[in-house]
Amino acid sequence: ASRGLGDVYKRQYQAHIKAINSLVMSMDEKMIVTTSLDSMVKFFEILSFDMINMLSVEYVPLCAAWLVNSNHICDRVAVSDSVSGLIRVYKSSEASNQPILTIDIHLSPIR
């Protein structure tokens, strides 16, 4: 059977197995980070839409925000916790589930 050109472009992606809490594009428009009820934080390259990194965390992540370094490169993400006021910072390129920084200044979850 022959396939039409439209069939070549039909793809299905399943990034998370539960609902997505946050989907945020980096300021340089090169990356996307998602957080989900499945306790995953995933990083995607926009141009190829390839998942380049994923972190399995021990909490349900809510909001995410890209952080820019001194060279204007978006390489870190701040992620809030659904049950506490903690903010954890991760490097987008590191596969470590351990944050590089944990900030504890809020009493309630950041939504």
Side-chain angles (χ1 to χ4, degrees):
S2 66
R3 292 175 27 180
L5 185 58
D7 294 333
V8 175
Y9 295 103
K10 290 181 184 175
R11 293 185 182 176
Q12 181 176 345
Y13 295 97
Q14 182 174 344
H16 294 279
I17 58 173
K18 292 188 178 179
I20 292 174
N21 286 331
S22 180
L23 184 148
V24 184
M25 181 173 28
S26 62
M27 289 176 259
D28 60 7
E29 300 180 351
K30 293 181 179 180
M31 304 273 289
I32 287 176
V33 63
T34 58
T35 64
S36 173
L37 292 175
D38 62 9
S39 296
M40 298 294 293
V41 178
K42 295 187 178 184
F43 300 91
F44 299 88
E45 184 179 69
I46 291 176
L47 188 60
S48 64
F49 208 73
D50 285 335
M51 183 173 52
I52 61 166
N53 197 6
M54 67 178 177
L55 307 174
S56 176
V57 295
E58 296 182 3
Y59 60 97
V60 175
L62 276 182
C63 298
W66 286 94
L67 306 175
V68 180
N69 69 17
S70 59
N71 295 323
H72 304 288
I73 296 172
C74 298
D75 67 343
R76 295 166 294 149
V77 171
V79 179
S80 71
D81 186 322
S82 65
V83 296
S84 76
L86 292 178
I87 301 169
R88 295 173 179 92
V89 178
Y90 300 94
K91 287 201 81 154
S92 61
S93 60
E94 291 182 9
S96 172
N97 294 344
Q98 297 303 312
I100 58 173
L101 177 66
T102 299
I103 303 165
D104 187 7
I105 58 173
H106 297 284
L107 298 176
S108 300
I110 299 158
R111 301 187 184 278

